[in-house]
């Protein structure tokens, strides 16, 4: 009788992957696009690597702060009030610098058209 050949298992390998899980990262193309929008001049590769590292650290801190504000409020979902609080704490939004003025100064026109209608006086953002 003919027997079917079975592959031999390799020693030291289990069914699971040996790679460590990686943290999610912001796409390099997105960082480059945003950075080049504001810089408007050539940037060396070394300088861009530093910008990438700074962006990663900034967004980690930003998300950590938002998570803390949300849990302090007893919620499990980040809301606009948390984002507004963060922007106030960073000094970006003040009584003299309302949110809609920040939007006008720093965002391209296509985003301004979307966001300015939701930014109302008193620095409150409504959906």
């Amino acid at each position: 009788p003919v027997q079917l050949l079975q592959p031999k298992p390799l020693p030291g390998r289990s069914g699971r992957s040996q790679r460590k899980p990686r943290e999610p990262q912001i796409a390099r193309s997105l960082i480059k696009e945003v950075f080049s929008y504001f810089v408007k001049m050539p940037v060396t590769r070394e300088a861009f690597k530093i910008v990438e590292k700074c962006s990663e650290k900034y967004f980690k801190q930003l998300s950590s702060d938002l998570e803390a504000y949300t849990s302090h409020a007893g919620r499990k979902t980040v809301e606009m009030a948390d984002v507004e609080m963060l922007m106030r704490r960073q000094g970006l939004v003040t009584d003299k610098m309302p949110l809609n003025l920040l939007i006008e100064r720093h965002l391209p026109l296509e985003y301004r058209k979307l966001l300015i209608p939701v930014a109302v006086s008193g620095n409150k953002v409504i959906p």
Side-chain angles (χ1 to χ4, degrees):
V2 177
Q3 290 183 348
L4 297 175
L5 295 175
Q6 297 291 327
K8 293 181 183 178
L10 293 174
R13 284 196 147 204
S14 63
R16 290 185 274 165
S17 173
Q18 297 295 326
R19 289 190 211 171
K20 293 181 181 179
R22 293 177 54 189
E23 286 186 15
Q25 294 181 337
I26 300 170
R28 294 182 77 180
S29 59
L30 178 63
I31 294 172
K32 190 171 187 173
E33 183 180 338
V34 170
F35 188 67
S36 64
Y37 173 80
F38 289 106
V39 173
K40 295 181 178 34
M41 63 177 50
V43 178
T44 64
R45 185 172 288 158
E46 294 81 22
F48 184 70
K49 286 181 182 180
I50 293 171
V51 169
E52 277 185 308
K53 286 181 183 179
C54 291
S55 298
E56 289 290 330
K57 287 182 181 185
Y58 174 75
F59 281 106
K60 281 182 185 179
Q61 184 65 46
L62 185 83
S63 58
S64 158
D65 290 346
L66 286 172
E67 185 178 347
Y69 296 157
T70 302
S71 64
H72 180 74
R75 290 182 270 107
K76 293 185 178 184
T77 305
V78 176
E79 294 181 357
M80 286 304 289
D82 303 320
V83 176
E84 184 180 351
M85 173 67 74
L86 179 67
M87 292 178 78
R88 280 191 174 278
R89 291 227 124 161
Q90 290 179 340
L92 297 172
V93 173
T94 62
D95 292 334
K96 293 181 181 181
M97 178 66 70
L99 186 58
N100 60 349
L101 189 58
L102 275 176
I103 291 169
E104 287 176 4
R105 282 189 181 174
H106 298 292
L107 294 178
L109 185 60
E110 59 268 15
Y111 293 122
R112 282 186 242 162
K113 287 179 181 177
L114 292 171
L115 293 174
I116 287 180
V118 298
V120 296
S121 63
N123 293 328
K124 300 291 180 191
V125 178
I126 57 173

